[in-house]
Amino acid sequence: MNDPTRTKTPRSTWWLLASLYTTQYLGLGFFVIALAALLREQGAPLDQISLVYMLGLLWALKFLWAPLVDRIGVRRWGHYRGWLMLMQAGMMACFLLIGAYDLIDDFSTIYLLCVVVALLSATQDIAADGLACRLIPAEERGTGNGIQVAGGLLGNMLGGGVVLMAYPYLGWVGSMVVLALATGVALVQLLVFREPRWPVATTARPRLLPRIGGLLRARPGRYWLAMLLLYPLGYNLMFIPLTPILVDLGWSVERIGFTVNVFGSVVGIIGALAAGWVFNRVARRNALTGAALLQIIGVGAVALPLLGMTDTLTVMLAIGAFFLCCNPATTVLAAVMMDHASHDAPATDYSLQFSLSMGFAMVAATVSTSLAEQLGYLSVIWTALAVAVVALLLALPYRFQRVFPEGGSTEDAPALDPAVVTGDAR
């Protein structure tokens, strides 16, 4: 049961996590959204635009080096804190270096540096997730993962929305300086943060193969793997084509930046934080089922503009419904993923789950972009709706069963209330 003697997470920790989860998306939000919109505005085909989204696939591979983040650390700096400081400083340096090159003439060099930014941000996310898994107790995970998803949306809003809208005034160099300075906010917070000294596990170092085997060998693992792959897929299938849809409707880059990355992100943040608040108060199964129902509504709303309702109000309402109703599914899944992460290798376990989920979603979204080119956007919507219904059916029988090996001393691991986790709570 929940430990009544456990102190609540300090407010400064929530602010630090919010800053980390926001700044890790600043650069990717700008590069993916801005480059996609600018390329489409110049008449680039959807197949070419899909290459820009390949930057996100690096995040899908982060589980490969996540064990290093769990295993290696400078104890004097704090295990995860040291990684986080290095990654934040590295991203700042890359932004400033990117600003020294010309967007058109040096595109290959800029793209290579964007890959480096993606690698640094992915490693930062590994360390941030590991820190969050150990700092946040089970009864506050809804709040933590609400902040996680909201931070990602805020980073996309600032990087892909606000900076993109200001791009005509800032220019390429000015935009990179703004991204570097914003990334530095979390670095300042890390300098004053003191990470607890975690007990050293008495077992072998974290290895990937036993953890992957945990998802494949037994029925609970295979069921949870299906949840990781299919539960958030409806939302992800529709997010990638959203910008090209608006471009094809004749919307300007600035208007798209505001609608998708400012307005959409604001309502998405509301949805994520509300889902986190509810998650702390209901059974896991109820949270998964409710969020899956909302995802169906959100995905279906995107069909309205494609069915001829292209007036500004209807499009804004459709996009608002999409972000408001779909982000709870992302929040709830992230919180349950944290339930499954072990105390000894939290960054490895969480990154493996995230990588499998995101990697499958990115591949599917890339395929859906090509499908939209051949068969139209409505074909993607019907596919996304079908997958969202499957996610609901998967959520209905959910019961928590550990799928990853737990070794070493777990006496300091956050306790899980069985009634809440398994869905038996009222």
Side-chain angles (χ1 to χ4, degrees), residues 8 14 21 62 71 86 91 97 128 137 146 153 161 203 219-220 227 245 249 263 294 327 375-376 394-395 414:
K8 287 186 174 295
W14 294 126
Y21 284 122
K62 66 178 184 173
R71 183 185 309 169
L86 289 174
M91 286 189 287
L97 188 58
L153 289 166
T203 58
R219 184 175 179 180
M227 285 286 287
I245 286 174
L249 288 176
F263 170 71
L294 288 174
N327 277 287
L375 302 178
L394 283 172

Side-chain angles (χ1 to χ4, degrees), residues 290-304 318 321-322 325-326 385 388:
L293 281 169
L294 288 174
Q295 183 177 217
I296 294 173
I297 297 172
V299 171
V302 183
L304 296 178
F322 175 71
C325 295
C326 289
L385 277 172

Side-chain angles (χ1 to χ4, degrees), residues 76-120:
R76 183 168 58 89
W77 289 6
H79 186 96
Y80 295 113
R81 175 175 174 263
W83 281 98
L84 290 167
M85 289 193 297
L86 289 174
M87 297 305 106
Q88 295 294 131
M91 286 189 287
M92 292 177 65
C94 281
F95 290 139
L96 295 176
L97 188 58
I98 289 172
Y101 291 96
D102 182 79
L103 177 59
I104 304 300
D105 297 337
D106 303 312
F107 180 77
S108 296
T109 302
I110 288 175
Y111 187 81
L112 179 61
L113 288 170
C114 288
V115 171
V116 176
V117 170
L119 287 170
L120 292 172

Side-chain angles (χ1 to χ4, degrees), residues 7-66:
T7 59
K8 287 186 174 295
T9 303
R11 186 172 299 179
S12 59
T13 299
W14 294 126
W15 282 113
L16 173 62
L17 292 175
S19 183
L20 290 171
Y21 284 122
T22 298
T23 55
Q24 68 185 213
Y25 279 101
L26 281 175
L28 286 180
F30 178 80
F31 295 135
V32 172
I33 301 299
L35 289 182
L38 292 172
L39 285 172
R40 187 61 176 174
E41 189 178 50
Q42 295 172 9
L46 292 175
D47 290 340
Q48 181 179 348
I49 293 175
S50 66
L51 295 177
V52 177
Y53 300 117
M54 296 296 287
L55 288 171
L57 285 178
L58 292 172
W59 275 53
L61 299 175
K62 66 178 184 173
F63 72 96
L64 295 174
W65 63 94

Side-chain angles (χ1 to χ4, degrees), residues 36-388:
L38 292 172
L39 285 172
R40 187 61 176 174
E41 189 178 50
Q42 295 172 9
L46 292 175
D47 290 340
Q48 181 179 348
I49 293 175
S50 66
L51 295 177
V52 177
Y53 300 117
M54 296 296 287
L55 288 171
L57 285 178
L58 292 172
W59 275 53
L61 299 175
K62 66 178 184 173
F63 72 96
L64 295 174
W65 63 94
L68 294 177
V69 178
D70 270 327
R71 183 185 309 169
I72 301 172
V74 180
R75 192 169 179 82
R76 183 168 58 89
W77 289 6
H79 186 96
Y80 295 113
R81 175 175 174 263
W83 281 98
L84 290 167
M85 289 193 297
L86 289 174
M87 297 305 106
Q88 295 294 131
M91 286 189 287
M92 292 177 65
C94 281
F95 290 139
L96 295 176
L97 188 58
I98 289 172
Y101 291 96
D102 182 79
L103 177 59
I104 304 300
D105 297 337
D106 303 312
F107 180 77
S108 296
T109 302
I110 288 175
Y111 187 81
L112 179 61
L113 288 170
C114 288
V115 171
V116 176
V117 170
L119 287 170
L120 292 172
S121 64
T123 307
Q124 188 258 38
D125 185 55
I126 295 171
D129 289 339
L131 183 65
C133 284
R134 284 192 167 178
L135 286 178
I136 303 174
E139 59 270 20
E140 293 185 289
R141 281 183 183 159
T143 302
N145 292 105
I147 289 175
Q148 178 191 34
V149 175
L153 289 166
L154 182 59
N156 276 319
M157 182 183 76
L158 296 176
V162 175
V163 178
L164 176 58
M165 291 168 62
Y167 182 80
Y169 311 100
L170 294 174
W172 183 251
V173 176
S175 297
M176 293 302 105
V177 171
V178 168
L179 292 175
L181 292 175
T183 303
V185 172
L187 182 58
V188 173
Q189 292 174 278
L190 285 166
L191 291 175
V192 299
F193 172 72
R194 291 295 175 263
E195 181 180 349
R197 288 183 177 270
W198 313 108
V200 179
T202 59
T203 58
R205 295 170 177 177
R207 294 179 297 167
L208 280 176
L209 288 181
R211 293 177 142 71
I212 295 174
L215 291 171
L216 298 176
R217 283 194 298 266
R219 184 175 179 180
R222 292 193 294 268
Y223 165 77
W224 183 238
L225 177 61
M227 285 286 287
L228 291 174
L229 299 183
L230 298 177
Y231 188 80
L233 189 57
Y235 167 64
N236 288 310
L237 281 174
M238 283 313 308
F239 180 76
I240 296 298
L242 199 56
T243 295
I245 286 174
L246 294 178
V247 171
D248 291 350
L249 288 176
W251 286 37
S252 66
V253 172
E254 292 79 11
R255 193 180 181 191
I256 293 171
F258 172 80
T259 303
V260 175
N261 299 297
V262 178
F263 170 71
S265 294
V266 167
V267 295
I269 288 170
I270 294 172
L273 293 177
W277 184 86
V278 172
F279 184 87
N280 290 339
R281 291 160 175 80
V282 301
R284 270 32 175 184
R285 182 176 61 227
N286 296 340
L288 286 165
T289 302
L293 281 169
L294 288 174
Q295 183 177 217
I296 294 173
I297 297 172
V299 171
V302 183
L304 296 178
L306 298 177
L307 293 174
M309 306 176 195
T310 57
D311 59 282
T312 300
L313 178 59
T314 301
V315 174
M316 294 283 286
L317 288 175
I319 292 174
F322 175 71
F323 282 96
L324 182 67
C325 295
C326 289
N327 277 287
T330 306
T331 303
V332 169
L333 183 67
V336 180
M337 284 163 53
M338 195 173 287
D339 285 343
H340 284 280
S342 68
H343 183 65
D344 290 328
T348 300
D349 292 341
Y350 194 92
S351 295
L352 177 58
Q353 296 175 84
F354 177 88
S355 295
L356 289 170
S357 182
M358 182 180 181
F360 185 75
M362 290 298 298
V363 171
T366 301
V367 173
S368 76
T369 306
S370 299
L371 181 66
E373 183 78 46
Q374 303 298 324
L375 302 178
Y377 294 118
L378 280 175
S379 64
V380 179
I381 290 181
W382 305 142
T383 303
L385 277 172
V387 174

